[in-house]
Amino acid sequence: MTEHDTLLKDIKWNEQGLIPVIVQDWQTAEVLMLAWMNSDALQLTINEGRAVYWSRSRRALWRKGQESGHVQYLKELRIDCDADTLLIKVEQIGGIACHTGRRSCFYQRLEHGVWRVTDHVIKQPEDIYGNKP
């Protein structure tokens, strides 16, 4: 059995063959986003040293930053005690992880029963992606 086979065997993939991935800034530990990986995405992430995810909406692999330039370089990879969630620590290029143009996808906080936006937009999405939906 190869190292690759052992790595994949140890993971508890869900029914769709995916595992959730919590993405943290490697220096500040700030949670930047939650994404999904399949076995190909995980292997590519390890091999390339940059985050590759599985897009559930597009049903395809995507390299973080392939359109925006906001690449995530892999610094550390961990698995939780149940082997059903990954944590990756990344160097976030350009300071933007969210497609809304913010640092983190977790930019809303519950305050008095209402979601309040807490983080400003660093760069407008249309300036990042053009007019793509």
Side-chain angles (χ1 to χ4, degrees):
M1 183 177 287
T2 69
E3 182 179 304
H4 172 77
D5 294 333
T6 302
L7 167 78
L8 298 179
K9 180 184 76 54
D10 292 341
I11 294 174
K12 292 181 185 169
W13 305 96
N14 72 10
E15 306 78 41
Q16 292 82 38
L18 302 173
I19 189 167
V21 182
I22 300 166
V23 183
Q24 269 186 323
D25 181 281
W26 73 296
Q27 293 180 311
T28 67
E30 176 185 14
V31 176
L32 300 175
M33 56 185 275
L34 173 88
W36 295 87
M37 286 185 180
N38 63 9
S39 60
D40 290 339
L42 178 57
Q43 194 60 55
L44 287 167
T45 296
I46 293 167
N47 292 347
E48 296 179 10
R50 64 176 284 186
V52 179
Y53 302 113
W54 176 257
S55 170
R56 295 179 302 160
S57 60
R58 291 181 230 143
R59 300 182 54 86
L61 291 170
W62 61 281
R63 285 166 175 77
K64 180 67 174 161
Q66 69 188 23
E67 291 181 33
S68 66
H70 302 137
V71 175
Q72 294 175 338
Y73 290 111
L74 180 65
K75 294 296 186 177
E76 188 176 323
L77 176 63
R78 294 177 178 235
I79 194 165
D80 76 333
C81 58
D82 295 322
D84 63 0
T85 303
L86 296 176
L87 170 69
I88 65 170
K89 296 184 181 189
V90 301
E91 177 184 359
Q92 178 64 62
I93 302 304
I96 297 173
C98 185
H99 73 280
T100 66
R102 292 176 173 86
R103 169 97 178 128
S104 169
C105 293
F106 297 96
Y107 60 87
Q108 298 178 81
R109 178 176 54 216
L110 185 63
E111 294 179 3
H112 308 291
V114 178
W115 293 111
R116 301 276 185 214
V117 173
T118 58
D119 301 351
H120 68 282
V121 173
I122 297 169
K123 190 171 185 180
Q124 292 297 323
E126 55 271 13
D127 293 336
I128 298 170
Y129 304 103
N131 290 328
K132 295 179 185 176

